[in-house]
Amino acid sequence: MTMYLCPRDGTRAETTVLTWCCPVCRGPWDLDFEVAGPLSLNSLSGRVNSLWRYEEALPLAAPTTTLGEGRTPLVPLTGTVTAKLDFLMPTLSFKDRGAVMLAELARRLSPERVIADSSGNAGTAVAAYCARASLPCTVYVPEGTSPKKTEQIRAHGARLEIVPGGREATALAARTAADTPGTFYASHVFNPYFLHGTKTYVYEMWEDLGGRLPDAIAVPVGNGTLLLGAALATAELHAQGLIDERPALIAVQAEAVSPLAAAFRAEADELLDAPAGAAAPTLAEGIAIPRPPRARAILAAVRESGGTFLTVTEDQIRTAQLDLAARGFYVETTGVACWAAVGGWTDRSVVVPLCGAGLKTGLAD
């Protein structure tokens, strides 16, 4: 039986309850889930052309809340670097992969309300999929969130709560509201169903590369939802004998807000003590997370894969956005971080996600 499991203290809970975190340590849940059976490339022929084609690997089946998400293309950028175009998702970001799982789960649980918190993309995705599922939704965002993202949230009919301060203040406000009875907290950080949605990013890559994966997978990391999904997928594919080796996970952070990179370089298992004061501003708003709740899991996943952390400057982000645009890809500032970090690699194959459309933020100043 699929259950919530706390990775710190072993507490378990049914997935039919609205408990959004471990009641003992208040940390995020993992999901005690086993893949139903081995996939094969041949078995995928003729299946639905969305992420739901990997039904054996997903904790939910037969969805009604779908917008046709997934199956985004791989396009070579250089001889060794390939881009996966996740900005072509229904709400223009990779967050649709996890948001559809949360909305489908919420639909089955019939809560009185759904809430989410986000720097923008997760909020727009949850708002869209809640609209699809006819669920009332409130999204908390920090002041200074891109107006295009808040406009999109409102367009989907969600209530918008703009929180003074940064990302941490916004998360605190949402988590306080999440304790209200009858509330489903559609948290892309705390609810592990989101990670089982983002792992389809790698399943698609595996299928489109003919049953293999690149030497490395680079992902931008704030709360780490795409990286942890990638780690789940590579572990599952390896356990099923569908890949011989797991690729290195390359985690990319903005130099201005890089707590995980600092901990990795210090060989720490947890985040280091943060200096007092507000986090420095960065163009990569989607990964400007000073205290990611899944830090321990992110650091472990990168180390276990033989990967590393890289950081990029604000000037590198600006240059990378213009460079991709000159190649035909208009990508938001967070989504260009990996190209800025590994675009010059020539010694091994690597896939980078173009994970949010440029229309969401505009060109960097």
Side-chain angles (χ1 to χ4, degrees), residues 154-218:
R154 287 191 175 103
H156 291 305
R159 177 184 170 191
L160 192 67
E161 291 283 351
I162 298 177
V163 180
R167 190 64 184 84
E168 286 191 294
T170 304
L172 180 60
R175 291 168 198 168
T176 299
D179 287 327
T180 304
T183 300
F184 180 88
Y185 183 23
S187 172
H188 60 293
V189 182
F190 277 78
N191 194 306
Y193 277 86
F194 195 95
L195 307 181
H196 284 266
T198 61
K199 76 181 182 185
T200 60
Y201 174 86
V202 171
Y203 274 91
E204 290 176 10
M205 192 187 306
W206 167 80
E207 180 183 358
D208 290 342
L209 292 175
R212 62 181 180 84
L213 290 174
D215 298 323
I217 298 172

Side-chain angles (χ1 to χ4, degrees), residues 30-292:
D30 281 350
L31 202 62
D32 186 359
F33 165 76
E34 293 185 6
V35 173
L39 282 169
S40 70
L41 291 176
N42 290 338
S43 71
L44 297 173
S45 177
R47 292 193 183 186
V48 61
N49 194 36
S50 75
L51 62 80
W52 295 98
R53 67 197 281 110
Y54 310 108
E55 57 184 359
E56 295 94 336
L58 296 175
L60 296 173
T64 62
T65 307
T66 179
L67 293 167
E69 54 288 328
R71 302 297 293 134
T72 57
L74 289 168
V75 178
L77 293 174
T78 71
T80 56
V81 183
T82 300
K84 187 160 173 58
L85 310 190
D86 259 27
F87 68 84
L88 298 180
M89 300 286 269
T91 76
L92 309 182
S93 92
F94 86 93
K95 294 288 177 63
D96 289 10
R97 294 185 183 278
V100 67
M101 301 293 288
L102 296 185
E104 177 64 19
L105 178 62
R107 184 193 65 80
R108 298 179 188 198
L109 299 180
S110 300
E112 295 176 22
R113 68 194 67 82
V114 175
I115 67 168
D117 63 286
S118 168
S119 60
N121 283 338
T124 61
V126 170
Y129 284 94
C130 281
R132 185 70 169 173
S134 300
L135 292 166
C137 178
T138 299
V139 180
Y140 291 73
V141 300
E143 60 182 357
T145 297
S146 166
K148 291 297 182 183
K149 294 178 181 179
T150 56
E151 177 182 302
Q152 188 178 1
I153 291 168
R154 287 191 175 103
H156 291 305
R159 177 184 170 191
L160 192 67
E161 291 283 351
I162 298 177
V163 180
R167 190 64 184 84
E168 286 191 294
T170 304
L172 180 60
R175 291 168 198 168
T176 299
D179 287 327
T180 304
T183 300
F184 180 88
Y185 183 23
S187 172
H188 60 293
V189 182
F190 277 78
N191 194 306
Y193 277 86
F194 195 95
L195 307 181
H196 284 266
T198 61
K199 76 181 182 185
T200 60
Y201 174 86
V202 171
Y203 274 91
E204 290 176 10
M205 192 187 306
W206 167 80
E207 180 183 358
D208 290 342
L209 292 175
R212 62 181 180 84
L213 290 174
D215 298 323
I217 298 172
V219 290
V221 174
N223 277 310
T225 56
L226 184 54
L227 184 137
L228 291 173
L232 278 172
T234 56
E236 290 171 358
L237 289 166
H238 188 261
Q240 296 174 65
L242 296 173
I243 54 173
D244 293 330
E245 295 183 8
R246 296 168 64 175
L249 298 178
I250 310 301
V252 179
Q253 295 206 287
E255 187 176 283
V257 186
S258 52
L260 289 159
F264 183 85
R265 291 164 185 165
E267 300 183 353
D269 294 331
E270 297 273 12
L271 295 178
L272 307 177
D273 291 336
T282 176
L283 293 165
E285 64 179 10
I287 53 174
I289 310 297
R291 307 291 298 177

